[in-house]
Amino acid sequence: MSHSTFHKQWADAQKELDYNLLPDEASAQSLRPERDRVVFVQRLATLFVGYVQVFRQLEETYDQVVHPQKRRLIRDVLDGVMGRILELKSEMVEKELSEYHYMDDVIQDLNLTPVDMEIPIPHYFLAERRAALQERRKMLTAILSTMGVEERPKVDVQPAVLHPLNVDEAIRLLQVAERARQGRLRAKFMREIHEAEERQRKAKDLDRGPAALNQAAVRVQKIWRGYQQRKKTRKEREEEMIFLGMVLDPDHCRPSASILAAKANEARRRRKQEEYQEDFQKAIVSVTGKLRDIEGPDMRESMKDQIRQWFIECYDATGTFPDYPEEEDGGSALIFSEKNPQELLETGSKVDEETNRNSKGKDVKKDTAKKEEDLESGLKMAPSAFLADLEAGCKIYADFWQNRNESSNFSQRHEVDLIKEEKRKEIEAEIRLQVDELMRQELATWKLALEKGKGGKAKGASKKKKQKNGKKKKKEKDLTADRTAESLYQELVEQGLVKEPENVRLEQYLGDYSYLGTTLRQTDIEPMPSLSDLRQVITLYAILPLGCQKIHEKAPLVKAILLAGPSGVGKKMLVHAICQETGATLFDLSPVNVVGKYPGRSGLQMMLHMVFKVAKLMAPSVIWIGDAEKMFYKKVPKEDKELDPTRLKKDLPKMLKNMKGGDCVLIIGTSQFPFNADVKSFCKLYSKIILIPRPDYASRYVMWRQLIEKNGGEMTSALDLSSLAKISDGYTQGHMVQAVRAVLSDARRQQLAKRPLTAAEFVAPLAKMEPVFKDEEEAFKNWYAKTPLGKKRAKAASGKETEEEATGKGGKDGKKKGKK
């Protein structure tokens, strides 16, 4: 696509923001609080869907636009949109009391498809950190090679697990091999006997004469013509089904020439981006130097003249020279504001009065706010940390780029005039600091001369020192202040606490959209979330905040996530996918991995200190805790006592408190048996608990097709995928992967041309596995109902919360309960 295509896409996204979304946000803030929860959630969902559409447009635009100055503005707006999406998601969870949301009705009203609701992962998460990731990769490879550990191949196939054979297994293996050898010999003898009999029969047929030959020819023709006709009929039937849209064209799965050309064009535009960015950085350096040399002296003299003129005006108006504004107050920038000398002198006293008023008026404002809340009880949107950025980005776009004539900049390189405008302000600020120092000395000299002329004693320049209120925060002691980050990283790798994430992507976590979510909720039935919903939650809670530090600083902070679900649903795969999508460093603090390492109380503190210090220095980072329930065992089983699984129970929550926005560190726990842990302390550590279900019918259908094709199988009419997806109800993704690998062996793949795959072949491997029974699924649901969000949802479903909101009573004596 051309430059104009992406510029139009950018303009459409800005138009949607400026004319629809931002005005809707402003009107929502001015409206009275909404009492109907359903209406309020619907309003949030509509905004969420709108921002997701803008996000998809801006992400593609930022990835393909080559103009470096435009990309800077697009990036600011893109980050603002991402942050606003996370804020809306947080509000929807708070109001709907569920991590999963179903917006089928909104999508239908806006004429969108489920594909339009997929939240993309920005390419710049990895592209702009490519050099740092390659350097870290080299470091990890070098450390592993010195340890004698071979690098794991980047394949998705799991390596075979080897274990030594005992005597009985070895004898059984030899017996099987010997019986197979004898069977092959017997088959060879029987084949030779049959071939001899066939030769004798053919010799007798040749002796029968021309009539027998004609009969044989007719028989061959009959068989051949029947085969040809069946082949032709099958082909015509397939063409008819493709024409009717009932079957996909086999060429549909292969990338067409136009798609390949489009991908090549995208790669070419990315190379241009890097080239233009380098030229832009060089231009900034050269333009800044020229401005400093050419315009700098004039700026300096002009500032000095204006400041001296201000000295004289103040002296004429008040009879004394003024005090020079402090650097913290803005320095001489205050002088150039449109104020007369008398007003400027009064500014300081007004500021002091305002601070006193503010300190006294805080309690009054709190009381007023409480009264307003009581008078206008209801649901209202929380203030946003990103709306100001979005409004500023829209204003810059409207002022500079919306109607800009770029006919002379066909190649879309940087514009020098814009660099000059931006850098001129920076140079002016630098020179202002230098001039302020000089003029303070000059003002002191003038005051000294004035005092001498009056015959009085010279007063020193009085400097107002601002007193800092509040106690100083006690700094955390650095146990490794004398060590470099590289040495700490190397030690953690050698101890096995830093691991290399597997090469998987979030898009490989297959699953289809849930099409009946809204319908089921309207009938008071809580639907099971689909794997597509799970992908969206992982993207919002983990990938987007970790990928952008600005979003991590300002968006609702998620410090720890728990992924709970039965074995085989892909919990570990999601952890590795998060690391791959964001380029995060993976730390493993699973009980099995930390056993025997850094013993003792001091050793434990040192281990956690090193892990969190390196995680912050090499951010983004993911700290993975496998079998997370073992850390909060109610009673440690005998078989796990050697692991000492509760070792991190007290110290890990303390380290979690020290994490703040901008650290780009995320703790992810995975648990197969969460009901074995103490719920209260478990949920206290993990602020977000995501229950991963087994795949539904639509997801199983998609997964069977993808897994079979990925492992070398072919999709034919003989393979009934619909029946296979139906009979595999209750089995997880891991079960399906094992079944496909068991069926599609090397020998079976060689026979596919003559013997196509059938659904019955997958039944035997599935029958040997243990599915997720209804009891286990109910156990997970009952456990989730005991979590904080599950309790709130159950309370809302019973109608208690609605009554409390209506009466404004939440506890004894009519007082609301809640966090202070």
Side-chain angles (χ1 to χ4, degrees):
M1 288 190 275
S2 63
H3 298 314
S4 59
T5 304
F6 293 109
H7 291 164
K8 184 179 182 303
Q9 188 167 306
W10 181 26
D12 292 341
Q14 291 287 162
K15 184 178 179 182
E16 179 68 17
L17 269 177
D18 208 8
Y19 291 98
N20 292 330
L21 294 176
L22 293 179
D24 288 350
E25 296 264 23
S27 62
Q29 294 292 339
S30 60
L31 290 175
R32 293 178 65 85
E34 180 61 55
R35 293 180 179 274
D36 191 342
R37 184 182 293 272
V38 176
V39 174
F40 187 76
V41 171
Q42 190 78 357
R43 188 187 301 163
L44 290 175
T46 306
L47 281 172
F48 182 85
V49 173
Y51 275 112
V52 168
Q53 303 314 303
V54 173
F55 176 36
R56 290 173 64 88
Q57 289 178 310
L58 288 176
E59 194 280 324
E60 186 180 5
T61 305
Y62 181 72
D63 184 50
Q64 292 299 304
V65 167
V66 297
H67 196 297
Q69 290 156 309
K70 290 179 181 177
R71 294 186 80 242
R72 291 173 68 181
L73 177 58
I74 296 172
R75 170 68 181 275
D76 291 340
V77 179
L78 176 62
D79 290 347
V81 170
M82 280 195 287
R84 188 61 188 138
I85 287 173
L86 295 183
E87 288 178 337
L88 290 171
K89 170 67 177 177
S90 178
E91 281 203 67
M92 285 194 294
V93 171
E94 184 182 343
K95 300 302 185 293
E96 207 168 7
L97 304 176
S98 174
E99 299 290 355
Y100 300 100
H101 315 287
Y102 305 99
M103 309 175 189
D104 316 337
D105 48 349
V106 178
I107 293 174
Q108 188 175 0
D109 292 342
L110 297 175
N111 294 325
L112 301 173
T113 64
V115 178
D116 297 324
M117 281 303 297
E118 284 285 337
I119 297 180
I121 299 170
H123 291 83
Y124 78 83
F125 283 1
L126 297 176
E128 295 184 1
R129 299 180 57 243
R130 190 180 298 116
L133 292 176
Q134 289 176 353
E135 189 66 30
R136 192 176 301 173
R137 169 81 178 160
K138 288 178 184 177
M139 190 192 308
L140 181 60
T141 306
I143 296 170
L144 292 175
S145 62
T146 55
M147 294 170 57
V149 179
E150 293 184 3
E151 188 178 355
R152 183 169 61 249
K154 292 283 185 180
V155 292
D156 296 334
V157 181
Q158 296 178 352
V161 179
L162 302 176
H163 61 276
L165 298 174
N166 56 34
V167 178
D168 293 337
E169 289 175 340
I171 292 173
R172 195 178 300 112
L173 190 63
L174 290 172
Q175 287 175 344
V176 170
E178 178 59 23
R179 287 169 185 158
R181 186 186 68 81
Q182 293 178 6
R184 286 193 295 271
L185 286 176
R186 283 194 296 270
K188 182 180 179 183
F189 294 149
M190 294 302 296
R191 187 166 56 251
E192 290 176 354
I193 292 170
H194 285 307
E195 287 175 355
E197 291 176 353
E198 187 68 19
R199 284 195 296 270
Q200 291 176 5
R201 189 180 62 79
K202 287 181 179 179
K204 288 179 182 178
D205 291 341
L206 290 173
D207 294 338
R208 290 179 183 175
L213 290 175
N214 289 336
Q215 188 179 2
V218 169
R219 188 176 297 173
V220 170
Q221 289 174 359
K222 177 183 175 182
I223 293 172
W224 174 250
R225 287 172 181 170
Y227 167 75
Q228 286 289 88
Q229 186 59 41
R230 285 192 298 274
K231 186 177 178 181
K232 183 179 178 182
T233 304
R234 192 183 307 116
K235 186 177 180 182
E236 289 176 352
R237 176 177 171 76
E238 289 175 358
E239 290 176 352
E240 182 181 6
M241 296 297 284
I242 291 171
F243 175 75
L244 294 174
M246 301 296 292
V247 177
L248 283 176
D249 190 349
D251 295 332
H252 179 77
C253 300
R254 301 170 193 160
S256 62
S258 58
I259 292 176
L260 293 174
K263 288 184 176 179
N265 186 41
E266 289 177 2
R268 182 178 60 81
R269 294 181 73 89
R270 292 190 185 106
R271 289 194 296 272
K272 267 191 176 182
Q273 284 176 2
E274 296 177 0
E275 178 189 342
Y276 287 6
Q277 185 65 25
E278 289 179 7
D279 294 344
F280 177 57
Q281 295 298 332
K282 292 176 183 176
I284 288 176
V285 175
S286 62
V287 169
T288 305
K290 288 179 181 177
L291 285 175
R292 190 175 281 112
D293 295 339
I294 296 172
E295 299 185 11
D298 294 338
M299 286 184 187
R300 187 177 288 106
E301 293 303 320
S302 175
M303 288 181 191
K304 286 181 179 179
D305 293 341
Q306 290 180 4
I307 294 170
R308 289 192 186 105
Q309 182 65 29
W310 176 66
F311 290 164
I312 295 168
E313 289 177 0
C314 286
Y315 183 78
D316 292 341
T318 62
T320 58
F321 288 115
D323 292 331
Y324 205 92
E326 293 295 329
E327 186 178 336
E328 294 83 2
D329 299 330
S332 58
L334 289 175
I335 300 170
F336 302 141
S337 59
E338 295 180 1
K339 293 180 181 179
N340 59 44
Q342 190 65 32
E343 288 176 344
L344 193 61
L345 288 172
E346 293 172 357
T347 302
S349 59
K350 284 182 180 178
V351 169
D352 295 336
E353 288 175 9
E354 284 177 5
T355 52
N356 293 330
R357 284 177 193 167
N358 289 337
S359 60
K360 290 179 181 177
K362 282 180 181 178
D363 298 331
V364 178
K365 285 182 179 179
K366 285 181 182 177
D367 296 338
T368 308
K370 285 181 181 178
K371 289 178 183 177
E372 288 178 0
E373 285 179 5
D374 293 337
L375 290 172
E376 297 186 1
S377 60
L379 301 171
K380 197 167 185 178
M381 292 176 63
S384 171
F386 294 93
L387 282 180
D389 297 340
L390 290 175
E391 290 169 357
C394 290
K395 187 175 185 307
I396 294 172
Y397 171 77
D399 293 344
F400 286 96
W401 298 109
Q402 188 172 10
N403 300 315
R404 195 176 186 85
N405 184 10
E406 295 185 272
S407 57
S408 60
N409 189 14
F410 180 76
S411 62
Q412 289 294 294
R413 290 186 175 272
H414 62 268
E415 299 188 27
V416 179
D417 293 340
L418 294 178
I419 299 176
K420 287 181 178 178
E421 289 178 15
E422 182 182 354
K423 291 299 169 183
R424 192 175 280 119
K425 295 176 183 177
E426 294 180 10
I427 293 171
E428 186 177 351
E430 291 175 9
I431 293 174
R432 186 183 303 283
L433 294 175
Q434 300 170 6
V435 170
D436 285 352
E437 285 297 320
L438 295 173
M439 297 311 293
R440 280 192 185 94
Q441 297 174 6
E442 187 171 330
L443 180 61
T445 306
W446 285 23
K447 285 184 177 182
L448 184 63
L450 181 63
E451 292 293 334
K452 283 183 178 178
K454 289 182 179 180
K457 265 191 175 180
K459 293 182 182 178
S462 60
K463 290 187 179 180
K464 296 179 183 177
K465 290 185 179 179
K466 292 189 177 179
Q467 293 182 353
K468 293 183 179 179
N469 296 325
K471 296 179 181 177
K472 289 186 178 178
K473 240 185 181 179
K474 192 177 180 182
K475 285 189 178 180
E476 188 183 354
K477 188 178 179 182
D478 191 352
L479 302 176
T480 54
D482 57 337
R483 297 184 59 182
T484 61
E486 289 75 14
S487 66
L488 295 174
Y489 180 76
Q490 181 175 352
E491 182 177 338
L492 292 175
V493 173
E494 291 171 353
Q495 291 292 333
L497 297 178
V498 173
K499 294 191 174 180
E500 182 184 5
E502 295 176 7
N503 188 27
V504 291
R505 298 286 180 179
L506 191 64
E507 62 184 12
Q508 294 173 337
Y509 193 82
L510 304 173
D512 203 0
Y513 185 78
S514 177
Y515 295 92
L516 294 175
T518 304
T519 306
L520 291 173
R521 273 197 173 169
Q522 288 172 353
T523 56
D524 294 332
I525 299 174
E526 183 61 26
M528 286 298 289
S530 69
L531 300 185
S532 174
D533 299 325
L534 178 63
R535 278 201 311 270
Q536 187 184 87
V537 168
I538 293 296
T539 304
L540 292 172
Y541 283 159
I543 295 177
L544 295 186
L546 284 179
C548 180
Q549 187 175 9
K550 179 182 175 182
I551 294 174
H552 199 274
E553 287 176 358
K554 300 170 70 175
L557 183 59
V558 177
K559 296 182 180 181
I561 298 174
L562 177 69
L563 304 178
S567 176
V569 293
K571 299 184 289 294
K572 293 178 185 176
M573 178 184 177
L574 288 172
V575 174
H576 292 286
I578 291 168
C579 295
Q580 287 291 347
E581 296 290 1
T582 59
T585 309
L586 178 62
F587 298 84
D588 187 359
L589 290 184
S590 305
V592 178
N593 193 47
V594 300
V595 62
K597 297 173 183 176
Y598 297 94
R601 177 72 179 168
S602 59
L604 177 62
Q605 290 178 349
M606 176 61 73
M607 180 184 72
L608 288 175
H609 169 78
M610 290 171 60
V611 167
F612 277 85
K613 182 177 179 179
V614 175
K616 291 175 184 178
L617 292 173
M618 296 192 169
S621 300
V622 169
I623 299 174
W624 171 44
I625 303 174
D627 297 327
E629 77 282 351
K630 293 183 178 181
M631 191 187 301
F632 298 97
Y633 266 146
K634 300 172 185 175
K635 185 179 179 182
V636 180
K638 291 181 180 179
E639 59 270 17
D640 288 339
K641 281 190 176 178
E642 294 181 1
L643 298 177
D644 191 13
T646 60
R647 188 182 176 200
L648 302 175
K649 183 177 181 179
K650 293 182 180 178
D651 294 297
L652 190 62
K654 293 177 183 176
M655 302 301 293
L656 190 71
K657 287 180 181 178
N658 295 329
M659 290 169 55
K660 57 183 183 298
D663 288 340
C664 290
V665 178
L666 179 66
I667 297 176
I668 303 180
T670 56
S671 177
Q672 183 181 347
F673 305 105
F675 22 79
N676 292 342
D678 178 40
V679 177
K680 188 175 181 181
S681 52
F682 202 29
C683 298
K684 194 175 180 181
L685 177 65
Y686 298 101
S687 57
K688 292 293 180 182
I689 298 175
I690 300 172
L691 193 60
I692 304 178
R694 56 183 175 80
D696 55 4
Y697 171 82
S699 298
R700 291 195 302 274
Y701 187 92
V702 172
M703 288 180 66
W704 277 120
R705 175 183 287 277
Q706 295 283 348
L707 289 172
I708 290 171
E709 291 178 346
K710 185 178 179 181
N711 286 271
E714 294 179 1
M715 303 304 299
T716 61
S717 57
L719 179 59
D720 188 356
L721 272 184
S722 181
S723 298
L724 185 57
K726 186 67 177 175
I727 63 172
S728 57
D729 187 13
Y731 291 93
T732 64
Q733 299 95 309
H735 294 144
M736 294 164 69
V737 170
Q738 293 176 31
V740 170
R741 288 176 180 167
V743 171
L744 287 171
S745 59
D746 294 338
R748 184 66 184 91
R749 283 198 296 267
Q750 293 172 3
Q751 300 172 359
L752 288 175
K754 298 179 180 177
R755 188 163 65 92
L757 280 174
T758 59
E761 295 181 65
F762 297 92
V763 175
L766 286 175
K768 297 176 184 177
M769 302 173 194
E770 196 79 12
V772 179
F773 291 107
K774 199 74 176 175
D775 296 342
E776 186 177 355
E777 192 171 339
E778 288 298 323
F780 276 101
K781 288 182 180 179
N782 294 334
W783 171 81
Y784 189 77
K786 298 176 183 177
T787 63
L789 194 63
K791 287 180 180 177
K792 288 180 182 178
R793 183 154 188 83
K795 191 176 180 182
S798 63
K800 291 181 181 178
E801 188 174 287
T802 309
E803 292 173 7
E804 289 176 3
E805 285 181 359
T807 58
K809 295 178 182 180
K812 293 181 180 179
D813 302 326
K815 292 180 181 178
K816 290 185 180 180
K817 290 183 180 179
K819 292 183 181 178
K820 291 183 180 180

